[in-house]
Amino acid sequence: MANTMVIQQPKPFVQAITSNQWSSEICDCTKDMSSCCLAFWCFPCFACITAREAGECLCLPLLNGFGLIPPATMSLRVGIRQRYGIEGTMCNDCVYSFFCGPCTWCQMSREMKTRLQPVTLINPHVR
């Protein structure tokens, strides 16, 4: 009986989401219905939870009441764009924050969930 020595282990490869675009559009609420429903029925709670998940202060969304343009929404959107290398402009962030506040918070929540998914290791040699 011959002994076989393994001299090379199979190497898994990593599948990760690396894109310079948002993973979903501003009005793609159907991609995450539970978050969309929470944002619709209790937007202040949803915004605070999303801010906390982004690593910001839980009360950050409460600052949106102090100004014509929602400063917390805009700053968090800019921060998420910079964190994940998403292309865009502050002008677009300002427009989305002002006219589509809840949709903007939903998009940021979806983006964090998409980008923070655990890395999937795939072994192509498994049969």
Side-chain angles (χ1 to χ4, degrees):
M1 178 173 197
N3 290 336
T4 305
M5 179 185 285
V6 176
I7 54 176
Q8 184 178 3
Q9 295 292 327
K11 296 178 183 172
F13 67 93
V14 176
Q15 261 186 340
I17 296 171
T18 54
S19 173
N20 63 350
Q21 300 296 320
W22 291 94
S23 63
S24 63
E25 295 296 323
I26 195 80
C27 293
D28 281 346
C29 288
T30 57
K31 289 189 175 184
D32 187 5
M33 287 301 288
S34 61
S35 293
C36 183
C37 288
L38 179 59
F40 179 77
W41 294 108
C42 189
F43 178 68
C45 296
F46 177 75
C48 290
I49 291 168
T50 303
R52 189 68 174 160
E53 289 173 351
E56 300 296 334
C57 176
L58 181 68
C59 299
L60 179 70
L62 300 178
L63 295 175
N64 278 340
F66 298 106
L68 183 61
I69 298 169
T73 304
M74 187 173 165
S75 66
L76 188 60
R77 184 175 168 86
V78 169
I80 288 175
R81 273 195 317 99
Q82 289 179 344
R83 180 184 305 168
Y84 298 125
I86 298 171
E87 290 181 355
T89 63
M90 286 187 69
C91 182
N92 283 343
D93 295 332
C94 180
V95 169
Y96 286 138
S97 298
F98 183 75
F99 290 106
C100 311
C103 292
T104 300
W105 280 94
C106 287
Q107 183 187 37
M108 292 187 293
S109 174
R110 287 190 306 271
E111 193 66 31
M112 287 187 296
K113 287 178 183 176
T114 300
R115 302 271 180 156
L116 294 178
Q117 286 180 346
V119 173
T120 305
L121 297 176
I122 299 174
N123 186 352
H125 300 292
V126 175
R127 295 174 196 218

